[in-house]
């Protein structure tokens, strides 16, 4: 094809989806925030190291056959009495602190992610019902949420964990401890998702596309799933990101108090509880490195949540 002056017309190729995503407002905001980039790198390193723990951990800290009590209390960056080198030292049982952090991070991340997903699923479902139905359902769900939000989440989790431990037979308590912890933390944090989704649903149900779906006879469940839910997920993702950091801290708190995961599957909270016993006797590294990992992980996830909240706010673009 040629133009009027004889020059050919060049049709430009439309940009790819990857380029359009990279050039979007969210990724532009990400590229312009060095703090967010550093936080995401820290999260990727910790999560990646936890997932690859069986392959990159120099020792298996939970295999009694590989432990040697003579290696106990070895300082960081030094060799033990038996000639083994430990990057971050060892604890009282001769376990490599670096390896325990890798394996402990797996449990903390698993509990945090699972509890957040459970709280998000429960909160979104109840929030959609309350916001769309209104009336008695809305009043009952929101009053329960108001009562729960009046208490600290850690107390709610402790209460639920204690009730579950009283119901589960003693022979199954240790094997079910992680799942009980997930349910306890999830039930302690669903109310924030429900309140946010309820408010957004009450706005969306007044719009024309919902009214058109009602007139066409679409079932309310399909209206909520196909039309309302995608439009309320923005604030939900922000709450989920910040809630993930809170869930990890709550798991560490419960494990520190001795009511979390069993000692045979120690998380970061359990490692901190063990380390604080030797803090004032000179073995500071047993507490310091697991606590530093927990702080970096929670802080980085919180910073990502703050960035996501600002990036999804059209008034700040």
């Amino acid at each position: 094809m040629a133009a009027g002056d004889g020059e050919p017309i060049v049709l430009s190729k439309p940009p790819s989806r990857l380029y359009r995503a990279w050039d979007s407002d969210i990724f532009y905001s990400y590229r312009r925030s060095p703090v967010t980039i550093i936080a995401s790198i820290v999260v990727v390193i910790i999560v990646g190291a936890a997932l690859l723990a069986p392959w990159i951990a120099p020792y298996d800290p939970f295999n009694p056959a590989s432990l040697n009590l003579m290696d106990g209390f070895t300082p960081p960056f030094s060799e033990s009495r038996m000639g083994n080198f430990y990057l971050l030292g060892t604890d009282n049982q001769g376990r490599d602190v670096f390896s325990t952090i890798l394996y402990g991070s797996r449990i903390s991340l698993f509990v945090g992610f699972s509890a957040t997903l459970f709280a998000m699923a429960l909160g979104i479902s109840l929030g959609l019902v309350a916001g769309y139905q209104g009336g008695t359902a809305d009043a009952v769900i929101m009053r329960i949420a108001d009562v729960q939000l009046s208490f600290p989440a850690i107390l709610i989790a402790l209460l639920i964990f204690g009730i579950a431990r009283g119901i589960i037979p003693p022979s199954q308590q240790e094997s079910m401890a992680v799942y009980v912890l997930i349910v306890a933390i999830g039930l302690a944090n669903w109310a924030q998702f429900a309140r946010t989704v309820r408010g957004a649903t009450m706005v969306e149900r007044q719009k024309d596309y919902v009214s058109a779906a009602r007139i066409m006879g679409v079932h309310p469940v399909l209206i909520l799933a196909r039309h309302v839910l995608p439009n309320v997920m923005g604030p939900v993702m922000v709450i989920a990101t910040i809630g993930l950091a809170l869930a990890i801290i709550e798991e560490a708190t419960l494990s520190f108090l001795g009511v979390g995961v069993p000692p045979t599957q120690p998380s970061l909270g359990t490692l901190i509880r063990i380390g604080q016993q030797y803090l004032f006797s000179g073995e500071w590294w047993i507490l310091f490195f697991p606590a530093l990992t927990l702080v970096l992980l929670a802080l980085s996830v919180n910073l990502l949540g703050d960035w996501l909240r600002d990036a999804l706010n059209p008034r700040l673009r």
Side-chain angles (χ1 to χ4, degrees), residues 246-311:
L246 295 177
I248 294 174
I249 294 176
E250 289 171 4
E251 182 278 326
T253 304
L254 292 173
S255 298
F256 180 82
L257 295 175
V259 296
V261 295
T264 56
Q265 299 176 339
S267 63
L268 292 178
T270 308
L271 299 177
I272 293 173
R273 177 169 59 87
I274 296 173
Q276 63 91 23
Q277 302 175 11
Y278 305 96
L279 178 61
F280 298 103
S281 61
E283 291 79 17
W284 54 269
W285 59 88
I286 304 177
L287 169 66
F288 176 76
F289 291 113
L292 179 63
T293 304
L294 178 62
V295 170
L296 289 177
L297 178 60
L299 178 61
S300 299
V301 174
N302 258 324
L303 291 175
L304 288 177
D306 292 340
W307 161 77
L308 188 61
R309 178 190 58 198
D310 296 339

Side-chain angles (χ1 to χ4, degrees), residues 216-252:
M216 294 173 60
V218 180
H219 195 276
V221 175
L222 295 179
I223 295 177
L224 292 175
R226 294 180 180 178
H227 303 289
V228 179
L229 181 59
N231 291 308
V232 302
M233 287 302 296
V236 168
M237 296 306 299
V238 176
I239 298 177
T241 305
I242 299 176
L244 173 60
L246 295 177
I248 294 174
I249 294 176
E250 289 171 4
E251 182 278 326

Side-chain angles (χ1 to χ4, degrees), residues 27-296:
F27 280 96
Y28 177 79
S29 173
Y30 176 81
R31 300 196 305 267
R32 299 279 294 180
S33 177
V35 174
T36 304
I37 295 176
I38 296 174
S40 61
I41 292 174
V42 172
V43 171
V44 169
I45 291 175
I46 295 178
V47 174
L51 294 176
L52 299 176
W55 295 275
I56 65 178
Y59 303 94
D60 186 357
F62 307 132
N63 183 11
S66 64
L67 300 181
N68 193 330
L69 294 178
M70 296 296 295
D71 289 343
F73 299 119
T74 301
F77 311 106
S78 61
E79 292 186 355
S80 66
R81 301 181 186 91
M82 307 302 295
N84 298 318
F85 178 80
Y86 297 99
L87 180 64
L88 302 181
T90 62
D91 61 6
N92 59 319
Q93 299 181 16
R95 296 181 300 186
D96 179 37
V97 173
F98 178 66
S99 300
T100 57
I101 290 175
L102 294 180
Y103 280 92
S105 299
R106 289 166 62 93
I107 299 177
S108 296
L109 289 169
F110 173 72
V111 173
F113 273 108
S114 302
T116 303
L117 290 176
F118 176 66
M120 185 168 60
L122 180 61
I124 289 175
S125 301
L126 295 178
L128 287 173
V129 172
Y132 188 81
Q133 289 293 118
T136 304
D138 180 25
V140 172
I141 294 174
M142 286 301 101
R143 294 302 75 76
I144 296 175
D146 292 340
V147 171
Q148 180 166 329
L149 289 173
S150 63
F151 296 94
I154 191 66
L155 294 181
I156 301 295
L158 278 172
L159 175 62
I160 298 172
F161 191 87
I163 294 174
R165 291 293 293 267
I167 298 175
I168 298 175
S171 59
Q172 301 179 6
Q173 288 183 0
E174 185 171 335
S175 60
M176 296 291 294
V178 173
Y179 304 102
V180 171
L181 193 61
I182 291 172
V183 174
I185 296 176
L187 290 177
N189 293 283
W190 67 270
Q192 298 180 2
F193 293 96
R195 288 175 64 90
T196 302
V197 172
R198 172 195 178 255
T201 303
M202 293 179 67
V203 174
E204 295 296 325
R205 74 177 182 180
Q206 305 296 333
K207 295 186 177 179
D208 294 338
Y209 71 92
V210 175
S211 301
R214 287 174 177 171
I215 295 174
M216 294 173 60
V218 180
H219 195 276
V221 175
L222 295 179
I223 295 177
L224 292 175
R226 294 180 180 178
H227 303 289
V228 179
L229 181 59
N231 291 308
V232 302
M233 287 302 296
V236 168
M237 296 306 299
V238 176
I239 298 177
T241 305
I242 299 176
L244 173 60
L246 295 177
I248 294 174
I249 294 176
E250 289 171 4
E251 182 278 326
T253 304
L254 292 173
S255 298
F256 180 82
L257 295 175
V259 296
V261 295
T264 56
Q265 299 176 339
S267 63
L268 292 178
T270 308
L271 299 177
I272 293 173
R273 177 169 59 87
I274 296 173
Q276 63 91 23
Q277 302 175 11
Y278 305 96
L279 178 61
F280 298 103
S281 61
E283 291 79 17
W284 54 269
W285 59 88
I286 304 177
L287 169 66
F288 176 76
F289 291 113
L292 179 63
T293 304
L294 178 62
V295 170
L296 289 177

